Amino acid sequence: METRQRTILKSVVWTLIGLFSMGVVGLLFTGSIAVGGGMALVNAIVGFLCYLIYERVWAGIRWGRLI
């Protein structure tokens, strides 16, 4: 079983990695730090929420676990 704190920390770290990489991609595609950064920020927020929900759902599913 994974604790909520661990899930949240994993989500934050993953979001920071995604924020950085999406910011670079956004900058390369748009040529604008503001537009690329805005795209990255929206993507990071949506991704964080989706990942957090995904992890908590799977934390409650027993299928495939070795006990």
Side-chain angles (χ1 to χ4, degrees), residues 5-28:
Q5 290 85 1
R6 179 179 163 89
T7 300
I8 291 170
L9 180 60
K10 285 172 57 180
S11 299
V12 168
V13 170
W14 182 250
T15 298
L16 291 174
I17 292 168
L19 181 61
F20 174 76
S21 60
M22 187 63 186
V24 171
V25 170
L27 174 62
L28 292 175

Side-chain angles (χ1 to χ4, degrees), residues 19 22-23 26-27 30 32-46:
L19 181 61
M22 187 63 186
L27 174 62
T30 67
S32 167
I33 292 174
V35 173
M39 289 170 47
L41 186 59
V42 169
N43 183 63
I45 292 167
V46 171

